[in-house]
Amino acid sequence: MVGDSPVLAGVDGSEQAVVAAEWAAEEADLRGAPLRLLAVGDHPDREEELWEALSQAADGCRAQRPRVEVVEEIRQGAATSELIRCSSGARLLVVGSHGRGRVAETLLGSVSRAVAMHARCPVVVVRDRRRSFTVGPVVVGVDESAPSREALRFAFESASARRANLVALHVWRPVRAEYSWVDAPSGAIWFDLDDAQRSLAGQLDAVRASFPGVEVHSEVRYGHPVDELTSAASHAQLLVVGHRGAGGFERLLLGSVADGVLHHAECPVAVVRGGSG
């Protein structure tokens, strides 16, 4: 869903949410989209506090990005449920790494992580560090899955909007157990670098023609996906990963890769679910 779909950002009064809202305003400006700021309260008596937080965030966004149409909204309910519900009408949902009060009980263990897992559009989690994310490449993790293809297209779109280079990284490590990345016994699995490079090149070629202005750099690495992706994104504007839904190896991706980079990457992380967007 694109068209006039807004960039949606969750606001709760925390500094992390302000940083996320400002990032969302920049993204809305780059994509020519409206910005929808949403605050969710679990008690009616918090409404005045929420409106104050919402107004402050909106004022900051309008000051920094005057071309962006900003809409403010308050809903009553659970933050996770309302953000996920509203994500069905958004082109992108932006949240802080953690928030205030109940939202901050576990870093990425409640709202941010649940939203990244279940939202109906791509989700960007912005860390709580005030640093520039306006230079450097967009980095995307690529494998041969359908969610990876969705993530790759989203990464191309983001690089094009930001006039940034794209770094496409395929990280290969054999899997022996269903839920953990481990080294395979010697000779158990053969890694063919040429095959991996050809596969990556083929996936890039399938999308590259739609974004002729994006300069692409590709690389195949052998190692732990979280370590390699985090390292590659150390000076990135954005790190993009795919997320598969459930079952077998699919459970591994969110538990190990997406969840890992959400905790360790310093730049904003986009989690693109298969079938979202």
Side-chain angles (χ1 to χ4, degrees):
M1 186 176 190
V2 183
D4 294 329
S5 302
V7 173
L8 174 65
V11 175
D12 65 2
S14 67
E15 182 180 356
Q16 291 73 30
V18 171
V19 173
E22 291 174 354
W23 192 94
E26 178 192 4
E27 190 70 10
D29 195 9
L30 291 171
R31 292 175 179 263
L35 174 64
R36 181 183 178 190
L37 299 180
L38 178 65
V40 182
D42 51 6
H43 294 288
D45 57 9
R46 288 194 62 213
E47 188 163 327
E48 183 176 348
E49 175 189 349
L50 289 175
W51 274 120
E52 182 178 355
L54 201 56
S55 296
Q56 289 178 352
D59 289 346
C61 291
R62 290 188 180 104
Q64 292 190 20
R65 300 287 168 172
R67 296 185 301 179
V68 175
E69 176 190 353
V70 181
V71 178
E72 304 153 60
E73 181 181 359
I74 286 181
R75 290 196 173 202
Q76 293 297 323
T80 300
S81 299
E82 292 304 318
L83 286 168
I84 292 172
R85 184 175 294 113
C86 292
S87 70
S88 62
R91 72 173 67 191
L92 176 66
L93 169 57
V94 183
V95 293
S97 55
H98 61 284
R100 170 177 288 176
R102 291 184 179 90
V103 177
E105 287 176 358
T106 55
L107 177 64
L108 293 170
S110 55
V111 174
S112 299
R113 188 178 187 280
V115 165
M117 184 186 300
H118 297 293
R120 301 181 180 103
C121 68
V123 176
V124 174
V125 178
V126 181
R127 299 285 291 184
D128 58 350
R129 295 182 178 139
R130 286 186 177 274
R131 48 163 286 192
S132 173
F133 298 114
T134 58
V135 296
V138 171
V139 176
V140 58
V142 181
D143 58 26
E144 296 181 350
S145 68
S148 174
R149 290 191 289 273
E150 298 260 9
L152 184 58
R153 176 162 288 276
F154 180 85
F156 263 101
E157 292 172 354
S158 298
S160 179
R162 293 172 172 272
R163 298 183 180 180
N165 293 345
L166 177 66
V167 176
L169 183 64
H170 174 75
V171 183
W172 190 91
R173 189 170 187 180
V175 178
R176 183 174 58 191
E178 184 178 1
Y179 300 108
S180 63
W181 293 93
V182 294
D183 287 322
S186 177
I189 300 177
W190 182 257
F191 174 49
D192 191 316
L193 178 60
D194 290 339
D195 281 350
Q197 289 174 333
R198 279 193 293 269
S199 174
L200 179 55
Q203 292 177 74
L204 290 171
D205 288 344
V207 186
R208 194 195 306 258
S210 300
F211 302 92
V214 176
E215 182 177 332
V216 182
H217 304 273
S218 62
E219 184 178 354
V220 175
R221 296 186 185 181
Y222 179 93
H224 194 293
V226 173
D227 294 341
E228 298 302 329
L229 287 168
T230 301
S231 174
S234 60
H235 295 93
Q237 295 188 42
L238 180 68
L239 171 58
V240 184
V241 293
H243 159 40
R244 310 164 221 215
F249 182 73
E250 288 83 352
R251 283 186 297 240
L252 178 65
L253 184 68
L254 190 78
S256 179
V257 179
D259 204 29
V261 297
L262 282 171
H263 278 88
H264 297 292
E266 293 191 2
C267 69
V269 175
V271 177
V272 182
R273 230 175 130 222
S276 67

